[in-house]
Amino acid sequence: MANILVVDDEIGIRELLSEILNDEGHTVLLAENAQQARQVRANETLDLVLLDIWMPDTDGVTLLKEWAANSLLTMPVIMMSGHATIDTAVQATRIGAMDFLEKPIALQKLLKAVQAGLNRNKPAPLSTVLGSGLTLAASNPSHHAPTISQMMASPAPAAAPTVDSSHTVTQLVTNLVQVGSQNVPLDQPLREARDEFERVYFEYHLARENYSMTRVAERTGLERTHLYRKLKQLGIELGKSARRAQNAA
């Protein structure tokens, strides 16, 4: 659908944003510093850039200013930071950034900002600092939407098809013996058996729905954020690499 460049020196942020945006159908390009971002910008046609402010070589605002001065700001740019001040956010939007996302980034805000950026005909500075849903560091954080940092942390229990510790071996045999065409060994501790069942369960539905997280969430009855967390907990690979592996099998 769109070519999106993610520029961030934190590998965990790059990987998670890549997984999320890949699942939305976008092609995601990654850069860990300004130099790599310059190279990607020179070689690719970009529809959107997610640009971290604080980076070790050249900060994001300086890179944004460089692109603007050289008429290279031909795509919407969304700034990201966990430490930026209001003055920094104002400066970035005056240069040409269309939005600012404060870390930790809420998943819903990320997807909304990305969609808004892709819907724009051309990048342009915001008319006011707080216009178009701009989120500044001083704004009140969401009390409902899970953040990316929370998604990367140890996942909380989700309403997945699990087996309570009070279940007996007989109930395990009844409920967990087979998922799809794969058997779950029962001669192991309950926790391991439950994890293996969940892994087989989610891999089955991912393959069945061609790795569409939207459809898998609907099929399994999980909210998408919880689904991402559960899959990462189980070590299930997401994105295009998983699709390629499935198709090659």
Side-chain angles (χ1 to χ4, degrees):
M1 291 175 57
N3 281 351
I4 300 177
L5 171 61
V6 175
V7 187
D8 199 300
D9 61 320
E10 296 183 50
I11 186 172
I13 296 295
R14 294 198 306 273
E15 290 180 348
L16 188 56
L17 290 178
S18 178
E19 289 175 1
I20 293 172
L21 296 174
N22 267 319
D23 183 60
E24 294 296 313
H26 305 301
T27 298
V28 183
L29 306 166
L30 302 176
E32 64 179 86
N33 53 46
Q35 182 57 35
Q36 290 184 7
R38 293 186 187 100
Q39 294 173 354
V40 175
R41 173 65 186 81
N43 297 325
E44 302 286 344
T45 299
L46 301 176
D47 300 299
L48 182 73
V49 175
L50 291 168
L51 177 59
D52 187 32
I53 289 182
W54 299 112
M55 295 187 294
D57 59 343
T58 302
D59 66 84
V61 174
T62 299
L63 179 60
L64 182 72
K65 188 181 300 184
E66 176 186 312
W67 281 344
N70 292 286
S71 301
L72 297 175
L73 200 56
T74 57
M75 63 287 174
V77 175
I78 298 173
M79 308 301 292
M80 307 180 294
S81 179
H83 309 285
T85 64
I86 293 178
D87 288 342
T88 303
V90 171
Q91 181 185 9
T93 56
R94 285 177 176 171
I95 294 170
M98 66 155 287
D99 208 341
F100 177 92
L101 293 174
E102 182 185 5
K103 295 179 180 179
I105 304 172
L107 178 63
Q108 293 177 353
K109 287 186 178 181
L110 169 69
L111 296 179
K112 182 177 180 180
V114 167
Q115 189 58 52
L118 296 177
N119 287 339
R120 293 173 69 95
N121 292 326
K122 59 181 179 179
L126 295 175
S127 58
T128 60
V129 176
L130 295 178
S132 302
L134 181 65
T135 305
L136 298 178
S139 301
N140 291 328
S142 170
H143 296 289
H144 304 287
T147 64
I148 287 180
S149 291
Q150 291 169 335
M151 291 165 61
M152 296 175 64
S154 298
T162 61
V163 181
D164 186 77
S165 58
S166 63
H167 279 214
T168 64
V169 173
T170 301
Q171 289 171 313
L172 279 173
V173 172
T174 302
N175 299 325
L176 304 184
V177 169
Q178 190 172 47
V179 179
S181 60
Q182 301 188 48
N183 293 321
V184 176
L186 302 179
D187 55 345
Q188 56 182 322
L190 176 60
R191 182 180 297 274
E192 283 75 7
R194 180 181 60 203
D195 288 346
E196 186 163 349
F197 163 72
E198 291 183 346
R199 189 176 297 107
V200 173
Y201 174 86
F202 285 114
E203 287 176 344
Y204 167 79
H205 283 292
L206 283 165
R208 178 178 179 180
E209 302 300 338
N210 195 28
Y211 286 84
S212 167
M213 295 293 280
T214 299
R215 293 198 297 270
V216 172
E218 293 174 353
R219 177 73 64 175
T220 60
L222 286 179
E223 194 273 328
R224 281 184 55 176
T225 302
H226 291 164
L227 179 58
Y228 276 112
R229 291 164 58 188
K230 173 57 69 175
L231 295 180
K232 290 187 73 68
Q233 175 198 16
L234 296 172
I236 296 177
E237 187 178 10
L238 302 175
K240 292 184 177 179
S241 58
R243 293 188 182 95
R244 287 195 295 268
Q246 176 67 21
N247 293 333

